[in-house]
Amino acid sequence: MTDRDDINEIVEIDFEVGHSSTIRNEPTTNHNPPRTHDWKVYLRSADVHGDLSCLIQRCVFYLHPEFPNNKRELRSTPFAIQESGYAGFHLPIDIFFKTKKEPKKFRIEYDLDLHTNVDGQTHRAKESYVRKYRCTFCNPDPEFRQKILAAGGKIKDTNTTSTNNNDNDESDSEEKQVTALQAPPSEPTVRYTSPPQKRPYSPVPTANSTTKKVKVEPSVINSKKKQS
């Protein structure tokens, strides 16, 4: 394990993973079951000036097995997938860093929900969701440190207490923690703290869920209610 006395510098970067879903005017006729939604999922830096191509070697989106070529690997920005579907599903995302030292990758567990029009709100044809994931590196080597900073990372002030709360954010967003510790070269150590899952992975797509926009604290599991 890495002793805290060995941690000289902490560098953090925030990733945003989100998706939008649009209800089609007519379901597809060449799929069984018919696909009712068009959707797009993406990964980006939370810093609008961050360049993820400096940090990420490749990004792999694991779609539901019902999709052809469900392992989608992207090696350049934008890291985004567009598809159509009829139900939400669990969507793991592997991010591979441009480094020869550990940690070389980490996984984000994302839940892609497809909204439904409820209570006669037919105007809700499109919905968007964003979740924030913070990745923390301890003692990154100088070259990798520069890559993190170029991608939008920040050097953490270890003399202050960090908080994930953003009281001014009124969007449908959640912030989760993903921590990766990079120890001194003589003692490589890595630890990941994955976000809590809203539902376990299932080989069968889950039914469309009704989603309410809520603002949650980082330690609270998403309060969205699922319907079968």
Side-chain angles (χ1 to χ4, degrees):
M1 295 291 296
T2 302
D3 192 279
R4 289 194 60 85
D5 294 337
D6 295 330
I7 300 177
N8 301 316
E9 183 180 58
I10 296 176
V11 184
E12 298 177 332
I13 182 169
D14 289 342
F15 296 109
E16 287 183 346
V17 180
H19 75 278
S20 61
S21 64
T22 304
I23 298 178
R24 300 173 59 91
N25 291 330
E26 295 290 340
T28 61
T29 58
N30 57 334
H31 298 98
N32 186 21
R35 297 183 178 182
T36 55
H37 292 66
D38 292 325
W39 55 260
K40 176 181 179 179
V41 63
Y42 60 85
L43 175 129
R44 66 190 181 195
S45 174
D47 185 333
V48 294
H49 302 294
D51 182 6
L52 289 186
S53 63
C54 298
L55 178 65
I56 297 178
Q57 179 191 62
R58 57 193 172 101
C59 187
V60 182
F61 294 77
Y62 296 90
L63 306 187
H64 190 274
E66 282 195 359
F67 288 94
N69 184 28
N70 68 304
K71 181 181 176 181
R72 308 288 177 89
E73 181 175 310
L74 303 177
R75 291 183 173 268
S76 61
T77 56
F79 297 115
I81 299 291
Q82 296 188 64
E83 267 290 356
S84 60
Y86 66 93
F89 59 93
H90 175 57
L91 197 164
I93 304 171
D94 279 341
I95 300 174
F96 294 82
F97 298 121
K98 291 183 175 180
T99 180
K100 295 181 180 179
K101 298 180 180 180
E102 297 294 340
K104 296 181 180 179
K105 76 166 186 175
F106 74 90
R107 169 169 286 198
I108 288 177
E109 305 288 352
Y110 189 73
D111 203 43
L112 189 147
D113 287 325
L114 299 184
H115 72 289
T116 58
N117 283 331
V118 294
D119 301 327
Q121 300 179 23
T122 55
H123 64 281
R124 290 185 61 230
K126 183 175 182 178
E127 288 288 330
S128 298
Y129 309 85
V130 179
R131 295 162 194 153
K132 186 180 291 184
Y133 299 82
R134 175 165 295 166
C135 189
T136 303
F137 296 90
C138 299
N139 299 338
D141 65 71
E143 181 181 359
F144 190 49
R145 174 182 181 271
Q146 287 304 114
K147 294 176 181 178
I148 301 170
L149 296 178
K154 309 293 182 186
I155 298 174
K156 180 180 178 181
D157 185 355
T158 56
N159 295 322
T160 61
T161 302
S162 175
T163 178
N164 291 331
N165 295 340
N166 187 349
D167 296 333
N168 297 322
D169 186 3
E170 299 299 332
S171 64
D172 180 29
S173 64
E174 309 155 26
E175 189 165 306
K176 311 293 184 181
Q177 286 275 354
V178 180
T179 304
L181 297 183
Q182 186 164 357
S186 59
E187 190 179 322
T189 304
V190 61
R191 183 184 70 202
Y192 300 117
T193 305
S194 299
Q197 289 303 291
K198 290 184 286 184
R199 59 170 174 248
Y201 175 77
S202 171
V204 179
T206 55
N208 292 341
S209 60
T210 300
T211 304
K212 295 182 179 179
K213 290 188 176 182
V214 295
K215 185 174 182 181
V216 299
E217 298 297 330
S219 60
V220 180
I221 299 179
N222 188 353
S223 61
K224 297 176 183 175
K225 303 298 181 182
K226 312 296 176 185
Q227 296 181 352
S228 57

